[in-house]
Coordinates of all heavy atoms in Angstrom, one line a residue:
A1 N 23.2 -20.7 5.4 CA 23.1 -21.4 6.7 C 23.2 -20.3 7.8 O 22.5 -20.3 8.8 CB 24.1 -22.5 6.8
D2 N 24.2 -19.4 7.6 CA 24.4 -18.4 8.6 C 23.2 -17.4 8.7 O 22.7 -17.0 9.7 CB 25.7 -17.6 8.4 CG 26.9 -18.4 8.7 OD1 26.8 -19.4 9.5 OD2 28.0 -18.0 8.2
I3 N 22.7 -17.1 7.5 CA 21.5 -16.2 7.4 C 20.3 -16.9 8.1 O 19.6 -16.3 8.8 CB 21.2 -15.9 5.9 CG1 22.2 -14.9 5.4 CG2 19.8 -15.2 5.8 CD1 22.1 -14.6 3.9
E4 N 20.1 -18.2 7.8 CA 19.0 -18.9 8.4 C 19.1 -18.9 10.0 O 18.1 -18.7 10.7 CB 19.0 -20.4 7.9 CG 17.9 -21.2 8.4 CD 16.5 -20.8 7.9 OE1 16.5 -20.3 6.8 OE2 15.6 -20.9 8.7
R5 N 20.3 -19.2 10.5 CA 20.5 -19.2 12.0 C 20.2 -17.8 12.5 O 19.6 -17.7 13.6 CB 21.9 -19.7 12.3 CG 22.0 -21.2 12.2 CD 23.3 -21.7 12.9 NE 24.5 -21.2 12.3 CZ 25.1 -21.7 11.3 NH1 24.7 -22.8 10.7 NH2 26.2 -21.2 10.8
A6 N 20.8 -16.8 11.9 CA 20.6 -15.4 12.4 C 19.1 -15.1 12.3 O 18.6 -14.4 13.2 CB 21.4 -14.5 11.6
F7 N 18.4 -15.4 11.2 CA 17.0 -15.1 11.1 C 16.2 -15.7 12.2 O 15.4 -15.1 12.8 CB 16.5 -15.6 9.7 CG 15.1 -15.1 9.4 CD1 14.9 -13.9 8.7 CD2 14.0 -15.8 9.8 CE1 13.6 -13.5 8.4 CE2 12.7 -15.4 9.5 CZ 12.5 -14.2 8.8
E8 N 16.5 -17.0 12.5 CA 15.8 -17.7 13.6 C 16.1 -17.1 14.9 O 15.2 -16.9 15.8 CB 16.1 -19.2 13.6 CG 15.4 -19.9 12.5 CD 13.9 -19.7 12.4 OE1 13.3 -19.8 13.5 OE2 13.4 -19.5 11.4
A9 N 17.3 -16.6 15.2 CA 17.6 -16.0 16.5 C 16.9 -14.7 16.6 O 16.3 -14.4 17.7 CB 19.1 -15.7 16.5
F10 N 16.8 -13.9 15.6 CA 16.1 -12.6 15.7 C 14.6 -12.8 15.7 O 13.8 -12.1 16.3 CB 16.5 -11.6 14.5 CG 17.8 -11.0 14.8 CD1 19.0 -11.4 14.1 CD2 17.9 -10.0 15.8 CE1 20.2 -10.8 14.4 CE2 19.2 -9.4 16.0 CZ 20.3 -9.8 15.3
A11 N 14.1 -13.9 15.0 CA 12.7 -14.2 15.1 C 12.3 -14.6 16.5 O 11.2 -14.2 16.9 CB 12.4 -15.4 14.1
R12 N 13.1 -15.3 17.2 CA 12.8 -15.6 18.6 C 12.7 -14.4 19.4 O 11.8 -14.2 20.3 CB 13.9 -16.6 19.2 CG 13.7 -18.0 18.8 CD 14.6 -19.0 19.6 NE 16.0 -18.7 19.5 CZ 16.8 -19.1 18.5 NH1 16.2 -19.8 17.5 NH2 18.1 -18.8 18.4
M13 N 13.7 -13.4 19.2 CA 13.6 -12.2 19.9 C 12.3 -11.4 19.6 O 11.7 -10.8 20.5 CB 14.8 -11.3 19.5 CG 16.2 -11.8 20.0 SD 17.6 -10.9 19.3 CE 17.3 -9.3 20.0
L14 N 11.9 -11.4 18.4 CA 10.7 -10.6 18.0 C 9.5 -11.3 18.6 O 8.5 -10.6 19.1 CB 10.6 -10.5 16.5 CG 9.5 -9.5 16.0 CD1 9.9 -8.1 16.4 CD2 9.3 -9.6 14.5
R15 N 9.4 -12.6 18.6 CA 8.3 -13.3 19.2 C 8.2 -13.0 20.7 O 7.1 -12.9 21.2 CB 8.5 -14.8 19.1 CG 8.2 -15.3 17.7 CD 8.2 -16.9 17.6 NE 8.2 -17.3 16.2 CZ 9.2 -17.7 15.5 NH1 10.4 -17.8 16.1 NH2 9.1 -18.1 14.3
E16 N 9.3 -12.9 21.4 CA 9.3 -12.6 22.8 C 9.0 -11.1 23.1 O 8.5 -10.8 24.1 CB 10.7 -13.0 23.4 CG 11.0 -14.5 23.4 CD 12.4 -14.8 23.8 OE1 13.1 -13.9 24.3 OE2 12.7 -16.0 23.6
A17 N 9.4 -10.3 22.2 CA 9.2 -8.8 22.4 C 8.9 -8.2 21.0 O 9.8 -7.7 20.3 CB 10.5 -8.2 23.0
P18 N 7.6 -8.2 20.6 CA 7.2 -7.7 19.3 C 7.6 -6.2 19.1 O 7.7 -5.8 18.0 CB 5.7 -7.8 19.3 CG 5.4 -8.9 20.3 CD 6.5 -8.8 21.3
A19 N 7.9 -5.4 20.2 CA 8.2 -4.0 20.0 C 9.8 -3.9 19.8 O 10.2 -2.7 19.7 CB 7.8 -3.2 21.2
N20 N 10.5 -5.0 19.7 CA 11.9 -4.9 19.5 C 12.3 -4.4 18.1 O 12.3 -5.2 17.2 CB 12.6 -6.3 19.8 CG 14.1 -6.2 19.8 OD1 14.7 -5.4 19.1 ND2 14.7 -7.1 20.6
R21 N 12.5 -3.1 18.0 CA 12.8 -2.6 16.6 C 14.1 -3.0 16.1 O 14.3 -3.1 14.9 CB 12.7 -1.0 16.7 CG 11.3 -0.6 17.1 CD 11.2 0.9 16.9 NE 10.0 1.5 17.5 CZ 8.7 1.1 17.3 NH1 8.5 0.1 16.5 NH2 7.7 1.8 17.8
V22 N 15.1 -3.3 16.9 CA 16.4 -3.8 16.5 C 16.2 -5.2 15.8 O 16.7 -5.4 14.7 CB 17.4 -3.9 17.6 CG1 18.7 -4.6 17.2 CG2 17.7 -2.5 18.1
A23 N 15.4 -6.0 16.5 CA 15.2 -7.4 15.9 C 14.4 -7.2 14.6 O 14.8 -7.9 13.6 CB 14.4 -8.2 16.9
L24 N 13.4 -6.4 14.5 CA 12.7 -6.2 13.3 C 13.6 -5.7 12.1 O 13.5 -6.2 11.0 CB 11.5 -5.3 13.5 CG 10.6 -5.1 12.3 CD1 10.0 -6.4 11.8 CD2 9.4 -4.2 12.6
G25 N 14.4 -4.7 12.5 CA 15.3 -4.2 11.5 C 16.3 -5.2 11.0 O 16.5 -5.3 9.7
R26 N 16.9 -6.0 11.9 CA 17.8 -7.1 11.4 C 17.1 -8.2 10.6 O 17.6 -8.7 9.6 CB 18.5 -7.7 12.7 CG 19.5 -6.8 13.3 CD 20.7 -6.5 12.5 NE 21.5 -7.7 12.3 CZ 22.1 -8.0 11.1 NH1 22.0 -7.2 10.1 NH2 22.7 -9.2 11.0
L27 N 15.9 -8.5 11.0 CA 15.1 -9.5 10.2 C 14.8 -9.0 8.8 O 14.9 -9.8 7.9 CB 13.8 -9.8 11.0 CG 13.9 -10.7 12.2 CD1 12.6 -10.6 13.1 CD2 14.1 -12.1 11.7
T28 N 14.5 -7.7 8.7 CA 14.3 -7.1 7.4 C 15.6 -7.2 6.5 O 15.6 -7.6 5.4 CB 13.8 -5.7 7.5 OG1 12.6 -5.6 8.3 CG2 13.6 -5.1 6.1
E29 N 16.7 -6.9 7.1 CA 18.0 -7.0 6.4 C 18.3 -8.4 6.0 O 18.8 -8.7 4.9 CB 19.2 -6.5 7.3 CG 19.1 -5.0 7.6 CD 20.1 -4.6 8.7 OE1 20.9 -5.4 9.1 OE2 20.0 -3.4 9.1
L30 N 18.0 -9.4 6.9 CA 18.3 -10.8 6.6 C 17.3 -11.3 5.6 O 17.7 -12.1 4.7 CB 18.2 -11.6 7.9 CG 19.3 -11.4 8.9 CD1 18.9 -11.9 10.3 CD2 20.6 -12.0 8.4
A31 N 16.1 -10.8 5.6 CA 15.1 -11.2 4.6 C 15.6 -10.8 3.2 O 15.5 -11.5 2.2 CB 13.7 -10.7 4.9
E32 N 16.2 -9.5 3.2 CA 16.7 -9.0 1.9 C 17.9 -9.9 1.4 O 18.0 -10.3 0.3 CB 17.1 -7.6 2.1 CG 17.7 -6.9 0.9 CD 16.6 -6.6 -0.2 OE1 15.5 -6.0 0.2 OE2 16.8 -6.8 -1.3
A33 N 18.8 -10.1 2.4 CA 20.0 -10.9 2.0 C 19.7 -12.3 1.6 O 20.4 -12.8 0.7 CB 21.0 -10.8 3.2
G34 N 18.8 -12.9 2.2 CA 18.5 -14.3 2.0 C 17.2 -14.6 1.2 O 16.8 -15.7 1.1
Q35 N 16.6 -13.5 0.7 CA 15.3 -13.7 0.0 C 14.3 -14.5 0.9 O 13.7 -15.4 0.4 CB 15.5 -14.3 -1.4 CG 16.2 -13.4 -2.3 CD 15.5 -12.0 -2.5 OE1 14.4 -11.9 -2.9 NE2 16.2 -10.9 -2.1
K36 N 14.2 -14.1 2.1 CA 13.3 -14.8 3.1 C 12.1 -14.0 3.4 O 11.6 -14.0 4.5 CB 14.1 -15.0 4.4 CG 15.3 -16.0 4.2 CD 16.1 -16.2 5.4 CE 15.3 -17.0 6.4 NZ 14.8 -18.3 6.0
W37 N 11.5 -13.3 2.3 CA 10.4 -12.5 2.5 C 9.2 -13.3 3.0 O 8.4 -12.8 3.8 CB 10.1 -11.7 1.3 CG 11.2 -10.7 1.0 CD1 12.1 -10.8 -0.1 CD2 11.6 -9.6 1.7 NE1 13.0 -9.8 0.0 CE2 12.7 -9.0 1.1 CE3 11.2 -9.0 2.9 CZ2 13.4 -7.9 1.6 CZ3 11.8 -7.9 3.4 CH2 12.9 -7.3 2.7
S38 N 9.0 -14.4 2.5 CA 7.8 -15.3 2.9 C 8.0 -15.6 4.4 O 7.0 -15.6 5.1 CB 7.8 -16.5 2.0 OG 6.7 -17.3 2.4
D39 N 9.2 -15.9 4.8 CA 9.4 -16.3 6.2 C 9.1 -15.0 7.1 O 8.5 -15.2 8.2 CB 10.8 -16.7 6.5 CG 11.1 -18.1 5.8 OD1 10.1 -18.8 5.6 OD2 12.3 -18.4 5.6
L40 N 9.5 -13.9 6.6 CA 9.3 -12.6 7.4 C 7.8 -12.4 7.5 O 7.2 -12.0 8.5 CB 10.0 -11.4 6.8 CG 9.8 -10.1 7.5 CD1 10.3 -10.2 9.0 CD2 10.6 -9.0 6.8
A41 N 7.1 -12.6 6.4 CA 5.6 -12.3 6.4 C 4.9 -13.3 7.4 O 4.1 -12.9 8.1 CB 5.0 -12.5 5.0
T42 N 5.3 -14.6 7.4 CA 4.8 -15.5 8.3 C 5.0 -15.2 9.7 O 4.1 -15.2 10.6 CB 5.4 -16.9 8.0 OG1 5.0 -17.3 6.6 CG2 4.8 -18.0 8.9
L43 N 6.2 -14.7 10.0 CA 6.6 -14.3 11.4 C 5.7 -13.1 11.8 O 5.2 -13.0 12.9 CB 8.1 -13.9 11.4 CG 8.6 -13.4 12.8 CD1 8.4 -14.4 13.9 CD2 10.0 -13.0 12.6
L44 N 5.6 -12.1 10.9 CA 4.8 -10.9 11.2 C 3.3 -11.3 11.5 O 2.7 -10.8 12.4 CB 4.9 -9.9 10.1 CG 6.3 -9.2 10.0 CD1 6.3 -8.3 8.8 CD2 6.6 -8.4 11.3
E45 N 2.8 -12.2 10.7 CA 1.4 -12.7 10.9 C 1.3 -13.3 12.3 O 0.3 -13.2 13.0 CB 1.0 -13.7 9.9 CG 0.9 -13.2 8.5 CD -0.5 -12.5 8.2 OE1 -1.2 -12.3 9.2 OE2 -0.8 -12.1 7.1
E46 N 2.4 -14.0 12.7 CA 2.4 -14.6 14.0 C 2.4 -13.6 15.2 O 1.8 -13.9 16.2 CB 3.6 -15.6 14.1 CG 3.8 -16.4 15.3 CD 5.0 -17.2 15.3 OE1 5.4 -17.7 14.2 OE2 5.6 -17.4 16.4
V47 N 3.2 -12.6 15.1 CA 3.4 -11.7 16.2 C 2.3 -10.5 16.3 O 2.1 -10.0 17.4 CB 4.8 -11.1 16.3 CG1 5.8 -12.2 16.4 CG2 5.1 -10.2 15.1
V48 N 1.7 -10.2 15.2 CA 0.7 -9.1 15.2 C -0.4 -9.3 16.2 O -0.7 -8.4 17.0 CB 0.1 -8.9 13.8 CG1 -1.1 -8.1 13.8 CG2 1.2 -8.2 12.9
P49 N -1.0 -10.5 16.4 CA -2.1 -10.7 17.3 C -1.7 -10.4 18.8 O -2.5 -10.0 19.6 CB -2.5 -12.1 17.2 CG -2.1 -12.5 15.8 CD -0.8 -11.7 15.5
G50 N -0.4 -10.5 19.1 CA 0.0 -10.3 20.5 C 0.5 -8.9 20.7 O 0.9 -8.5 21.9
A51 N 0.5 -8.1 19.7 CA 1.0 -6.7 19.8 C -0.2 -5.8 20.3 O -1.3 -6.0 20.0 CB 1.5 -6.2 18.5
D52 N 0.2 -4.7 21.0 CA -0.8 -3.7 21.3 C -1.3 -3.0 20.0 O -0.7 -3.2 19.0 CB -0.3 -2.7 22.4 CG 0.8 -1.8 21.9 OD1 0.8 -1.4 20.7 OD2 1.7 -1.5 22.7
E53 N -2.3 -2.2 20.1 CA -2.9 -1.6 18.9 C -2.0 -0.8 18.1 O -1.9 -0.9 16.9 CB -4.1 -0.7 19.3 CG -4.9 -0.2 18.1 CD -6.2 0.5 18.5 OE1 -6.6 0.5 19.6 OE2 -6.7 1.2 17.6
T54 N -1.2 0.1 18.7 CA -0.3 1.0 18.0 C 0.8 0.1 17.3 O 1.1 0.3 16.1 CB 0.4 2.0 18.9 OG1 -0.7 2.8 19.5 CG2 1.3 2.9 18.2
L55 N 1.4 -0.8 18.0 CA 2.5 -1.6 17.5 C 1.9 -2.5 16.4 O 2.5 -2.8 15.4 CB 3.1 -2.5 18.6 CG 4.2 -3.4 18.1 CD1 5.3 -2.7 17.4 CD2 4.7 -4.2 19.3
G56 N 0.7 -3.0 16.7 CA 0.0 -3.9 15.7 C -0.2 -3.2 14.3 O 0.1 -3.8 13.3
R57 N -0.6 -1.9 14.4 CA -0.8 -1.2 13.1 C 0.6 -1.0 12.4 O 0.7 -1.1 11.2 CB -1.4 0.2 13.4 CG -2.8 0.1 13.9 CD -3.5 1.4 13.8 NE -4.8 1.4 14.4 CZ -5.9 0.9 13.8 NH1 -5.7 0.3 12.6 NH2 -7.1 0.9 14.3
E58 N 1.6 -0.7 13.2 CA 3.0 -0.6 12.6 C 3.4 -1.9 12.0 O 3.9 -1.9 10.8 CB 3.9 -0.2 13.7 CG 5.3 0.2 13.3 CD 6.2 0.6 14.4 OE1 5.7 1.4 15.3 OE2 7.3 0.2 14.5
L59 N 3.2 -3.0 12.6 CA 3.6 -4.3 12.1 C 2.8 -4.7 10.9 O 3.3 -5.2 9.9 CB 3.5 -5.4 13.2 CG 4.5 -5.2 14.3 CD1 4.2 -6.3 15.4 CD2 6.0 -5.4 13.9
L60 N 1.5 -4.3 10.9 CA 0.6 -4.6 9.8 C 1.1 -3.8 8.5 O 1.0 -4.3 7.4 CB -0.8 -4.4 10.1 CG -1.5 -5.5 11.0 CD1 -2.9 -5.0 11.5 CD2 -1.6 -6.8 10.2
A61 N 1.5 -2.6 8.8 CA 2.0 -1.7 7.7 C 3.2 -2.4 7.1 O 3.4 -2.4 5.8 CB 2.3 -0.3 8.1
K62 N 4.1 -2.8 7.9 CA 5.3 -3.5 7.5 C 4.9 -4.8 6.7 O 5.5 -5.0 5.6 CB 6.2 -3.9 8.7 CG 7.4 -4.7 8.4 CD 8.5 -3.8 7.8 CE 9.8 -4.6 7.7 NZ 10.8 -3.7 7.0
L63 N 4.0 -5.5 7.2 CA 3.5 -6.8 6.6 C 2.9 -6.5 5.2 O 3.2 -7.1 4.2 CB 2.5 -7.4 7.5 CG 1.9 -8.7 6.9 CD1 2.9 -9.8 6.7 CD2 0.8 -9.2 7.9
A64 N 2.1 -5.4 5.1 CA 1.5 -5.0 3.8 C 2.6 -4.7 2.8 O 2.5 -5.1 1.7 CB 0.6 -3.9 4.0
G65 N 3.6 -4.0 3.3 CA 4.7 -3.7 2.4 C 5.5 -4.9 1.9 O 5.9 -5.0 0.7
V66 N 5.7 -5.9 2.8 CA 6.4 -7.1 2.4 C 5.5 -7.8 1.3 O 6.0 -8.3 0.3 CB 6.6 -8.0 3.6 CG1 7.1 -9.4 3.2 CG2 7.7 -7.4 4.5
Y67 N 4.2 -8.0 1.6 CA 3.3 -8.7 0.7 C 3.3 -8.0 -0.7 O 3.5 -8.6 -1.7 CB 1.9 -8.7 1.2 CG 1.6 -9.8 2.2 CD1 0.9 -9.6 3.3 CD2 2.1 -11.1 2.0 CE1 0.6 -10.6 4.2 CE2 1.9 -12.1 2.9 CZ 1.1 -11.9 4.0 OH 0.9 -12.9 4.9
E68 N 3.2 -6.7 -0.7 CA 3.0 -6.0 -2.0 C 4.4 -5.8 -2.7 O 4.5 -6.2 -3.9 CB 2.4 -4.6 -1.7 CG 2.2 -3.8 -3.0 CD 1.4 -2.5 -2.8 OE1 1.1 -2.2 -1.7 OE2 1.2 -1.9 -3.8
D69 N 5.4 -5.3 -2.0 CA 6.6 -4.9 -2.7 C 7.6 -6.1 -2.9 O 8.3 -6.1 -3.8 CB 7.4 -3.8 -1.9 CG 6.5 -2.6 -1.7 OD1 5.6 -2.3 -2.6 OD2 6.7 -1.9 -0.7
K70 N 7.6 -7.0 -2.0 CA 8.5 -8.1 -2.0 C 8.0 -9.4 -2.6 O 8.7 -10.2 -3.2 CB 9.2 -8.4 -0.7 CG 9.8 -7.1 -0.1 CD 10.9 -6.6 -1.0 CE 11.6 -5.4 -0.3 NZ 12.7 -4.9 -1.2
L71 N 6.7 -9.7 -2.3 CA 6.1 -10.9 -2.7 C 5.1 -10.8 -3.8 O 4.6 -11.8 -4.4 CB 5.4 -11.6 -1.5 CG 6.3 -12.0 -0.3 CD1 5.6 -12.5 0.9 CD2 7.4 -13.0 -0.8
G72 N 4.7 -9.5 -4.2 CA 3.8 -9.3 -5.3 C 2.4 -9.8 -5.0 O 1.6 -10.1 -5.9
D73 N 2.0 -9.9 -3.7 CA 0.7 -10.4 -3.3 C -0.2 -9.2 -2.9 O -0.3 -8.9 -1.7 CB 0.8 -11.4 -2.2 CG -0.4 -12.2 -2.0 OD1 -1.5 -11.6 -2.2 OD2 -0.3 -13.3 -1.5
V74 N -0.8 -8.6 -3.9 CA -1.6 -7.4 -3.6 C -2.8 -7.7 -2.7 O -3.1 -6.9 -1.8 CB -2.0 -6.7 -4.9 CG1 -2.9 -5.5 -4.7 CG2 -0.8 -6.3 -5.7
A75 N -3.4 -8.8 -2.9 CA -4.6 -9.1 -2.1 C -4.3 -9.2 -0.7 O -5.0 -8.7 0.2 CB -5.2 -10.4 -2.6
R76 N -3.2 -9.9 -0.3 CA -2.8 -10.0 1.1 C -2.3 -8.6 1.6 O -2.5 -8.3 2.8 CB -1.7 -11.0 1.3 CG -2.2 -12.4 1.2 CD -1.1 -13.4 1.6 NE -1.7 -14.7 1.8 CZ -1.0 -15.8 2.0 NH1 0.3 -15.8 1.9 NH2 -1.6 -16.9 2.1
A77 N -1.7 -7.8 0.8 CA -1.3 -6.5 1.2 C -2.5 -5.6 1.6 O -2.6 -5.0 2.6 CB -0.5 -5.8 0.1
I78 N -3.6 -5.7 0.7 CA -4.8 -5.0 1.0 C -5.4 -5.5 2.3 O -5.9 -4.7 3.2 CB -5.8 -5.1 -0.2 CG1 -5.2 -4.3 -1.3 CG2 -7.2 -4.7 0.2 CD1 -6.0 -4.6 -2.6
D79 N -5.4 -6.8 2.5 CA -6.0 -7.4 3.7 C -5.2 -6.9 5.0 O -5.8 -6.5 6.0 CB -5.9 -8.9 3.7 CG -6.4 -9.6 4.9 OD1 -7.6 -9.4 5.3 OD2 -5.5 -10.2 5.6
A80 N -3.9 -6.8 4.9 CA -3.1 -6.4 6.0 C -3.4 -4.9 6.3 O -3.5 -4.5 7.5 CB -1.6 -6.5 5.7
H81 N -3.6 -4.1 5.3 CA -4.0 -2.7 5.5 C -5.3 -2.5 6.1 O -5.6 -1.6 6.9 CB -3.9 -1.9 4.1 CG -2.6 -1.5 3.7 ND1 -1.8 -0.6 4.4 CD2 -1.8 -1.8 2.6 CE1 -0.7 -0.4 3.8 NE2 -0.7 -1.1 2.7
R82 N -6.2 -3.4 5.8 CA -7.6 -3.3 6.3 C -7.7 -3.8 7.8 O -8.8 -3.5 8.4 CB -8.5 -4.1 5.5 CG -8.8 -3.5 4.1 CD -9.7 -4.2 3.3 NE -10.0 -3.5 2.0 CZ -10.6 -4.0 1.0 NH1 -10.9 -5.3 1.0 NH2 -10.8 -3.3 -0.1
R83 N -6.8 -4.5 8.3 CA -6.9 -5.1 9.6 C -6.6 -4.0 10.7 O -6.0 -3.0 10.5 CB -5.9 -6.2 9.9 CG -6.4 -7.5 9.2 CD -5.6 -8.7 9.6 NE -4.8 -9.0 8.5 CZ -3.7 -9.8 8.6 NH1 -3.4 -10.3 9.8 NH2 -3.0 -10.2 7.6

């Protein structure tokens, strides 16, 4: 329950400011602690379109890593790398 509330709070921060590296770092830690990798992937998919090109590439690389390393979804990882 605490992980869920914290995840949502940091998710709001990231939605408001996709370049917030502190929020992204905490979200990654919370995803690890609560096995919320699918939620993190969904959130990243949501914020990538609003990011500038440089940040978008960084977020897509993070997303590809989540898909491949944490969710075992190689097809989605490849798609994220190609965007």
Side-chain angles (χ1 to χ4, degrees):
D2 288 339
I3 289 175
E4 183 67 34
R5 282 194 299 273
F7 189 92
E8 284 307 314
F10 283 106
R12 281 191 300 277
M13 290 173 65
L14 193 66
R15 284 184 191 104
E16 292 170 11
N20 187 329
R21 295 190 193 307
V22 172
L24 183 58
R26 289 295 293 140
L27 284 161
T28 302
E29 292 170 9
L30 291 163
E32 181 74 45
Q35 293 302 301
K36 298 181 65 59
W37 296 113
S38 181
D39 292 338
L40 181 58
T42 299
L43 176 63
L44 290 171
E45 291 280 9
E46 183 182 324
V47 299
V48 163
D52 66 37
E53 186 176 345
T54 302
L55 178 60
R57 290 194 186 287
E58 188 178 313
L59 293 173
L60 284 169
K62 175 76 171 178
L63 179 61
V66 170
Y67 278 139
E68 185 173 359
D69 301 334
K70 304 300 182 179
L71 297 174
D73 192 333
V74 175
R76 282 190 171 167
I78 291 169
D79 176 64
H81 277 298
R82 289 183 176 164
R83 286 191 252 163

